[in-house]
């Protein structure tokens, strides 16, 4: 199993039951996923915007995060929680749950079936790149019924809507020219402009590009071999935590700029033969675009 390039990895709390954390992540993601589908109101609208007028949050994002916090708090009251909508709460156990109630909110708003609930248990400080790592997590697409899940050292798995379970392995494409690459874009106009410039230079040198609209699902797509690589700028810990673990436990590398951990400046995920080449090319292109 490959690992990401993260320095100074924190130690696991003594006696930590990773299997129990994984089960809790799966159960919580599943319940929250059913909530956002079954309780979705008719005529769902935008509750507010975040970084720009196109960066939306719905009433269901807010309701789902409240549910996640209630479920996790009831099961493990000593753990901290970091969520996209309501920030961080303190804990004493050494575990922080990093949650995204709806990753792919715009897809959810438009009823495009590529969104998910992401629930990750991490050690360290998830606000400091290079000083944290996920140890258990689950990513659940409630429309497809697919549950991606993993715990540290035990591999990554997918349970489909029929209940069939299989172990995931990242692809082994080793050249950029043969790579199907997923990416995403920010919400601010100036960020998108720079991202588009990078993509315009990259796309002649790869097989093709895919843009699904959910970072967590893109990371899981790398794990499942559905794409060969994924990269994006501007990710937050809640976009990354669970999918990062699923990808690495499937044999992918997840990193940032060359020699750096995954961070807001860049996240790259790919099978080991491809990761270095893609990361180096992106670093060069970003220098020019910026």
């Amino acid at each position: 199993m490959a690992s990401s390039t993260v320095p100074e990895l924190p130690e696991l709390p003594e006696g930590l039951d990773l299997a129990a954390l994984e089960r809790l992540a799966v159960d919580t993601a599943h319940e929250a996923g059913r909530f956002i589908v079954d309780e979705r109101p008719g005529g769902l609208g935008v509750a507010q915007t975040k970084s720009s007028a196109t960066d939306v949050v719905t009433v269901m994002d807010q309701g789902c995060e409240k549910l996640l916090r209630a479920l996790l708090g009831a099961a493990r009251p000593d753990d901290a929680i970091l969520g996209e909508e309501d920030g961080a709460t303190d804990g004493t156990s050494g575990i922080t749950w990093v949650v995204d109630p709806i990753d792919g909110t715009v897809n959810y708003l438009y009823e495009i079936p590529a969104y998910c609930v992401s629930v990750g248990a991490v050690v360290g400080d998830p606000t400091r790149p290079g000083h944290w790592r996920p140890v258990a997590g689950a990513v659940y697409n409630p429309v497809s019924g697919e549950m991606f899940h993993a715990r540290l050292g035990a591999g990554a798995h997918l349970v489909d809507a029929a209940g069939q379970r299989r172990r995931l392995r990242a692809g082994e494409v080793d050249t950029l020219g043969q790579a199907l690459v997923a990416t995403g874009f920010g919400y601010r106009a100036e960020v998108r402009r720079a991202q588009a410039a990078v993509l315009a230079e990259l796309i002649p040198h790869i097989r093709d590009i895919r843009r699904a609209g959910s970072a967590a699902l893109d990371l899981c797509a790398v794990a499942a071999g559905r794409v060969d690589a994924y990269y994006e700028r501007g990710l937050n810990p809640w976009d990354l935590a669970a999918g990062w673990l699923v990808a690495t436990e499937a044999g992918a590398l997840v990193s940032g700029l060359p020699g750096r951990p995954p961070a807001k400046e860049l996240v790259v995920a790919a099978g080991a033969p491809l990761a270095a080449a893609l990361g180096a090319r992106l670093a060069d292109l970003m220098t020019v675009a910026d």
Side-chain angles (χ1 to χ4, degrees), residues 44-240:
L44 177 67
V46 175
Q48 61 191 50
T49 59
K50 292 183 283 189
S51 63
S52 75
T54 55
D55 187 3
V56 303
V57 53
T58 70
V59 293
M60 294 302 287
D61 289 274
Q62 297 168 330
C64 186
E65 183 161 320
K66 288 179 181 178
L67 174 61
L68 288 167
R69 289 176 179 273
L71 294 170
L72 294 168
R76 292 184 58 91
D78 296 329
D79 294 352
I81 301 176
L82 173 64
E84 180 175 13
E85 308 305 333
D86 293 324
T89 61
D90 293 332
T92 59
S93 68
I95 295 295
T96 299
W97 291 94
V98 182
V99 301
D100 194 336
I102 306 177
D103 188 55
T105 298
V106 173
N107 286 347
Y108 180 69
L109 187 64
Y110 282 81
E111 298 188 78
I112 298 169
Y115 54 85
C116 64
V117 177
S118 176
V119 179
V122 314
V123 294
D125 182 353
T127 67
R128 299 177 62 205
H131 295 270
W132 67 285
R133 61 171 168 172
V135 296
V139 175
Y140 179 54
N141 180 335
V143 180
S144 70
E146 292 182 314
M147 177 71 74
F148 300 87
H149 63 94
R151 68 179 185 270
L152 191 66
H157 297 85
L158 167 62
V159 179
D160 65 20
Q164 297 297 310
R165 183 173 183 268
R166 66 181 178 92
R167 185 160 183 157
L168 299 177
R169 291 297 303 172
E172 297 182 355
V173 169
D174 59 2
T175 58
L176 281 176
Q178 296 298 311
L180 181 62
V181 180
T183 193
F185 301 96
Y187 290 103
R188 301 183 69 88
E190 63 273 20
V191 173
R192 288 181 173 182
R193 188 174 295 112
Q195 290 172 322
V198 169
L199 179 58
E201 293 297 323
L202 178 66
I203 200 167
H205 304 286
I206 60 177
R207 182 187 295 275
D208 205 349
I209 200 76
R210 293 292 181 268
R211 194 276 200 261
S214 165
L217 289 178
D218 282 337
L219 287 162
C220 292
V222 172
R226 294 173 180 174
V227 297
D228 299 303
Y230 162 70
Y231 77 93
E232 189 165 350
R233 299 178 73 177
L235 294 190
N236 293 295
W238 46 83
D239 303 310
L240 175 63

